Amino acid sequence: MEPMSANKGQSFYVTTPIFYVNDAPHIGHAYTEVAADVLARWHRQRGERSFLLTGTDEHGEKILRTAAANKVSPRQWADKLVEEAWLPLLETIDIQNQDFIRTTEPRHEKNVQKFLQHLYDTGFIYRGSYEGNYCVGCEEYKTDADLIDGEGAFAGQPVCAIHSKPVEKLQETNYFFKLSEYADKLLAFYEANPKFIQPDSARNEVMSFVRRGLEDLSISRSKEKFDWGIDIPWDDSHITYVWFDALLNYITAIGYGEDEEKFASLWPASVQVVGKDILRFHAVIWPAMLMAAGIEPPKQVFGHGWLLVGGEKMSKSKLTGIAPSQITDTFGSDAFRYYFMKAIAFGQDGSFSWEDLSARYQAELANGLGNLASRSIAMIHRYFDGVLPAASEFTDEDKKVQQIATDAVAAADQAISDVAIQDALTAIWTLVDELNNYITVQEPWVLAKDESKRDRLATVLNTTAEGLRVLAVLMNSITPKAAAKLWSALGAGLGSLDAQPIGDAGRWGQLPAGAALAELEPLFPRIETDATEAK
Ligand code: MSP
């Protein structure tokens, strides 16, 4: 196969991990989805061709066992979970994905086989035997360093550090990928591409792991053990190791093996968002697989932190999972999206708490942004019959608002380029805070009492309306429902909100004076329920 040449146009391809269908989603999974969706929407708002891929990982022993325990076939189980849990999740948290791939689809299975055959034909895959400790929860062989002493029912046994469950000793003859040959090549690649693994803490961790040397990777399992997977094309007594199959979703979904033009237009991916628990698969095995096939690695793999409960990674298998709808039913999808992007630095672990969510909803969304929008627009209705007044002369205070808006747009845009979503929100909030402060200082309700201050009142309300225009554009990726409401009250004269480029958002004076504004629907309604009852 020819090395793929990247189409450098302005395409932005972002991926989430594909999720195991052994269980329903919790807020940890939703967190990954929201971050990727915010990046995709923001880049689209920049005018780039933005493509978000997500999907489900349906093969492997873990799924097979879950299906068996529920007395259905793995296919039936996967169909049920996709229909009843994973696709609805996208609605629940308002994800605007361009595709959803399931690893049981023919477009995936066929092209995984193509990829394998190619690596086999070019000598990167060989037959050998292996003995090791396998964790079905991780679907991975573990080294001794990955194991810890068990507790409770597993006291005295080594257990997987992630799942706290015993590993299984496996001895098999299977096929191996020559991963060991890639240690030096990967290190050279990381050196040449310092942003390939982000954040830096993740990059350092991966680099020291690779410096210790790599072992070849078993990429098949004998069908004598179980057979829920993709057949090895040259040996139908084996199926493909689930991670080797799963990683390839990122290219089979965009046409690898059958639509070269589409593939070339999107690959290499701009950012692959993954949890830090699966960083090594994405930052070590995945680029090595691609290099072996003569395909460029992605531009960046970003390893985010974990949502913790009681100091531990939230997980369904440890029964600490919270369903996303538990939050959105009370607070709505916008608040879910805002909260997780603002409260946790992307790349670090964070603890979720109902109290923090409720406090931020009230202070930052309802009182901060929501109230700013409602009182500004209400005053235009009250004092100017809902017709946007023209600004006349700008004072230094008006110019300060304009400057803060321009700076906020630039800083937020840069932060998104750096995948620092929390910083983008901090930058956007400088404008929210400034506008609230501006209204307090300018006291338009006082100006309104004095007919001779009519021009000044017009300028003040024009300034707040322009500020809200900027905020609608900036918040469209993060709180799309609230941004759309704000836009329908404000932006009718400017066309659709999606068509407002980020790069132009800071340019002052875009709202046409004389345009009729609509009433504003409440952006972040008052929540009657006590935060602790929301559980
Ligand atoms: N199927 C594999 C990924 C294959 S990608 C080629 C898998 N699936 S998973 O469903 O277990 O997890 C998917 C993602 O959800 C991971 O990135 C994982 O880190 C993330 N999260 C699962 N629990 C999480 C938290 N408690 N906190 C944050 N993210 C979490 O791994």
Side-chain angles (χ1 to χ4, degrees):
M1 188 176 307
E2 288 297 306
M4 296 297 158
S5 67
N7 175 337
K8 300 297 183 208
Q10 284 299 309
S11 80
F12 180 78
Y13 176 35
V14 55
T15 64
T16 72
I18 47 170
F19 300 94
Y20 287 128
V21 290
N22 62 315
D23 215 335
H26 59 58
I27 59 175
H29 305 118
Y31 175 62
T32 311
E33 285 281 358
V34 166
D37 186 60
V38 167
L39 297 175
R41 286 179 187 252
W42 190 285
H43 281 263
R44 191 165 306 122
Q45 192 98 39
R46 275 188 191 169
E48 297 171 18
R49 175 185 175 214
S50 185
F51 193 101
L52 168 62
L53 175 69
T54 187
T56 43
D57 189 352
E58 303 187 5
H59 293 126
E61 207 165 351
K62 177 149 120 163
I63 311 298
L64 184 66
R65 287 187 189 182
T66 309
N70 286 278
K71 302 194 171 46
V72 290
S73 72
R75 178 78 217 200
Q76 283 169 321
W77 180 257
D79 286 349
K80 178 179 156 67
L81 266 278
V82 168
E83 286 306 319
E84 293 176 8
W86 290 95
L87 288 175
L89 169 72
L90 305 178
E91 296 281 316
T92 303
I93 51 172
D94 208 359
I95 302 298
Q96 209 177 48
N97 54 308
Q98 276 50 63
D99 202 347
F100 186 96
I101 187 157
R102 301 181 54 180
T103 53
T104 47
E105 287 176 68
R107 64 169 169 162
H108 177 72
E109 297 192 337
K110 213 168 57 199
N111 293 305
V112 166
Q113 290 189 321
K114 232 184 219 182
F115 187 95
L116 278 164
Q117 186 70 53
H118 175 63
L119 257 51
Y120 187 61
D121 293 344
T122 46
F124 288 104
I125 291 177
Y126 66 92
R127 196 179 158 89
S129 69
Y130 195 77
E131 188 177 339
N133 291 312
Y134 197 80
C135 170
V136 176
C138 293
E139 293 281 15
E140 185 186 18
Y141 279 107
K142 295 287 169 181
T143 64
D144 290 345
D146 298 326
L147 304 178
I148 56 169
D149 293 335
E151 287 175 9
F154 306 126
Q157 296 180 55
V159 297
C160 163
I162 293 174
H163 288 89
S164 309
K165 290 200 179 139
V167 287
E168 297 173 22
K169 226 180 201 25
L170 291 185
Q171 217 257 318
E172 278 190 3
T173 295
N174 34 36
Y175 291 95
F176 287 80
F177 168 55
K178 291 184 179 168
L179 183 62
S180 61
E181 290 185 4
Y182 282 88
D184 290 343
K185 292 188 184 103
L186 285 168
L187 287 169
F189 180 75
Y190 303 149
E191 291 292 351
N193 299 279
K195 295 280 173 206
F196 173 65
I197 306 168
Q198 282 295 298
D200 285 337
S201 53
R203 167 181 158 85
N204 295 338
E205 200 248 42
V206 168
M207 286 184 74
S208 49
F209 172 76
V210 175
R211 276 195 201 104
R212 293 197 289 272
L214 297 173
E215 285 181 24
D216 287 347
L217 176 75
S218 162
I219 55 116
S220 76
R221 300 289 304 276
S222 159
K223 278 193 189 169
E224 281 167 20
K225 300 281 165 51
F226 77 100
D227 68 352
W228 179 234
I230 301 175
D231 280 351
I232 293 287
W234 60 89
D235 181 347
D236 63 11
S237 68
H238 280 250
I239 54 164
T240 310
Y241 169 47
V242 61
W243 267 101
F244 206 86
D245 152 359
L247 286 163
L248 288 165
N249 90 86
Y250 302 126
I251 61 173
T252 59
I254 56 161
Y256 165 80
E258 53 187 44
D259 183 348
E260 294 302 323
E261 202 179 322
K262 180 172 182 188
F263 181 60
S265 75
L266 289 168
W267 194 260
S270 309
V271 187
Q272 300 210 260
V273 175
V274 301
K276 65 180 181 182
D277 49 331
I278 56 172
L279 183 67
R280 284 186 199 167
F281 290 101
H282 286 83
V284 180
I285 297 174
W286 177 225
M289 285 165 64
L290 291 166
M291 285 174 181
I295 301 174
E296 245 185 280
K299 289 183 210 154
Q300 185 171 84
V301 174
F302 194 100
H304 68 70
W306 286 343
L307 299 191
L308 306 174
V309 171
E312 274 196 59
K313 178 179 179 237
M314 172 185 303
S315 89
K316 273 281 163 92
S317 57
K318 291 185 181 170
L319 300 177
T320 52
I322 298 170
S325 59
Q326 282 178 265
I327 293 177
T328 56
D329 284 351
T330 306
F331 292 90
S333 57
D334 276 354
F336 185 105
R337 297 166 62 93
Y338 172 82
Y339 173 74
F340 286 105
M341 295 301 103
K342 182 68 194 294
I344 303 167
F346 201 54
Q348 286 169 28
D349 292 348
S351 295
F352 164 75
S353 90
W354 290 99
E355 290 71 20
D356 190 31
L357 166 64
S358 184
R360 282 181 187 272
Y361 181 89
Q362 202 50 43
E364 297 167 26
L365 292 178
N367 295 343
L369 179 57
N371 199 26
L372 168 69
S374 67
R375 61 184 179 148
S376 305
I377 291 173
M379 283 190 281
I380 296 174
H381 282 287
R382 192 173 318 132
Y383 304 136
F384 292 94
D385 290 328
V387 174
L388 183 74
S392 43
E393 210 159 317
F394 290 127
T395 63
D396 285 350
E397 285 143 318
D398 307 336
K399 287 184 194 149
K400 184 174 168 213
V401 173
Q402 299 173 14
Q403 187 60 49
I404 286 176
T406 315
D407 292 349
V409 173
D413 199 30
Q414 181 59 49
I416 295 291
S417 296
D418 298 340
V419 196
I421 304 172
Q422 188 191 42
D423 293 350
L425 276 165
T426 302
I428 296 169
W429 245 251
T430 60
L431 180 57
V432 174
D433 292 342
E434 171 59 20
L435 286 168
N436 273 317
N437 176 51
Y438 175 80
I439 292 179
T440 308
V441 172
Q442 299 300 318
E443 300 183 306
W445 50 90
V446 175
L447 298 174
K449 290 189 185 134
D450 183 345
E451 197 48 40
S452 71
K453 304 253 171 73
R454 190 85 184 144
D455 280 355
R456 182 64 199 145
L457 177 65
T459 305
V460 168
L461 292 182
N462 182 287
T463 298
T464 56
E466 270 293 308
L468 288 173
R469 173 190 61 74
V470 177
L471 288 173
V473 177
L474 295 178
M475 291 304 285
N476 195 23
S477 312
I478 297 147
T479 55
K481 292 196 170 89
K485 286 182 191 165
L486 188 50
W487 199 253
S488 34
L490 200 69
L494 292 175
S496 83
L497 176 56
D498 289 347
Q500 312 300 312
I502 293 276
D504 197 35
R507 186 169 55 81
W508 211 251
Q510 295 188 34
L511 289 173
L517 305 195
E519 295 287 342
L520 179 70
E521 276 182 68
L523 301 187
F524 303 103
R526 219 183 121 75
I527 288 171
E528 302 300 339
T529 330
D530 185 276
T532 45
E533 284 167 20
K535 283 182 255 185

